[in-house]
Structure formats: C-alpha cells, structure tokens
Amino acid sequence: MKLDAVIFDLDGVITDTAHLHFVAWREVAQEIGIAIDETFNEQLKGISRMASLQRILQHGGKAEQFSAADCQAIAERKNARYVASLASLTPDSILPGITELLRDLRARGVRIGLASVSLNAPTILNALGISSLFDYCADASRVVHSKPDPEIFLAACQGLRVSPKQAIGIEDAQAGIQAINASGMASIGIGADLTGAGLLLPSTRELNWQQLEAFWQHLHPASATVKE
Ligand code: BG6
Ligand code: MG
C-alpha cells in the first residue's frame, strides 16, 4: 500500500506553541485562583479552548462557579495573551527537522495536511512562512468533537481526498495519538511519555523521511512508498 499523505498536528509538532498555550493558561488561571503546572498541562494538549477551560476549572474545584458568559470572558482573556505571544513567531520558530520533512514529502508527491483544533492555526502557519506547503488544512471552526475524537483527522483526510489507511498522522499529545489511531491512520508520536503510537520519537529532530519510509514499510512490507 502506498503512503498518500502525512497529516500534522501544529502546536508542539511544527512549532513550540504548546508552551505558549501553557504560559497563557497559567496566567489566566492564576487570576481566578487556580494553579496549574506543566504536568497538568499535558491534559490540555490537543483539547479545544473551551474544553481546556472546563478542565482547568474542574482541576481547581471551581467548575460550578462561573457562568457561560464568565467562561467566554476568561477564554477570550487567555486567547488575547496567547495571540500577543504569537508576535514572537518567525520562520526560525519551526521545530528542528520539520522544514526538511515538508520539502521531502512534497518532492515525493506525498500530500501534506494539517489537523489542528486551534482557531489560530492559519495565523501561525503564516507567521512561520509555511502555509503554501500544506495541501489542505482542516478547519478547526467546523470541528464539533475535539481530540481524542478522530473528527479533525478524518476531515483532513477527506479534504486531501486520501483514505486514512494510506496516511500517517503526527502528534505530540496523548489525545492526538488516540484521535489518529481511532481514524484508522498510522500514528507517530513526538515525546517520551506518549502511549499507543505506532512509532514514538523523542523529538522532531529524529523525524525525517527515512524514518517515515522505514515505518511505512514495516507496516506494509510489500508496498512501494512513493506514488507511481
Ligand atoms: C491545540 C492545542 O492545538 O489547540 C491546545 O494543543 C489548544 O492546547 C487548542 O487549547 C485550541 O487552540 P486555540 O488557539 O484555538 O485557543
Ligand atoms: Mg499538539
């Protein structure tokens, strides 16, 4: 079976915005008397803005204390801080190995997709200068179910017109690995603490075409990797 597409998560895979999300949430949570740390933050990766806020409120034992309008205002405050921190992004903010991998995939005719639940994804790809390298970006504003539901990965496959069985997804979040696996795609995890990934790499430094090709051939021993 041929590898038709590779679908990337954004935050924590293409650039280190996962950390910027954490910093913005930590500040806003502190304002409402809730402390969060990096360990707790692992649970927020891949989770939509409002669902992240709900988890933070529950973590602080304050789930019942805020109205829907309060939650909206808190989420907007978090986003304003997060968006302000995005001003620091440049093409140098792309994580190691990613630019080379995107170029290698294009050179081999493997389609490239994005499956991020971030409403800020288009702004970030523009700031990094790599929007044109993506054949299709799933629209986070149309996604009803956040990861670990496979919806956004299936939307990306549909937009690329590829079968999930002929695609690889790449994620740094546990919820993201679950979403990829549930979609029927093969999964690559970035980060030491993830479980369930078909291939687990410590960082994007180890993520390259040779790794992907070897992984795909391991899954599909008799297949050619590149489209004829
Ligand atoms: C995901 C991040 O990519 O996007 C989450 O992993 C974040 O941490 C989510 O909450 C939503 O992002 P945004 O930019 O729409 O608030
Ligand atoms: Mg991520």
Side-chain angles (χ1 to χ4, degrees), residues 9-13 18 45-46 147 171-173:
D9 171 48
L10 173 66
D11 295 314
V13 170
K45 290 184 176 176
K147 299 166 188 176
E171 265 287 352
D172 70 316

Side-chain angles (χ1 to χ4, degrees), residues 18-19 22-23 26 35-45 47 55-56 59 172-174 193-194:
H19 185 68
F22 167 61
V23 170
R26 187 179 52 188
I36 61 168
D37 60 16
E38 301 238 24
T39 307
F40 171 78
N41 186 58
E42 287 303 309
Q43 293 179 38
L44 304 183
K45 290 184 176 176
I47 307 297
R55 287 193 186 198
I56 291 168
H59 174 70
D172 70 316
Q174 191 58 53
D193 299 325
L194 299 173

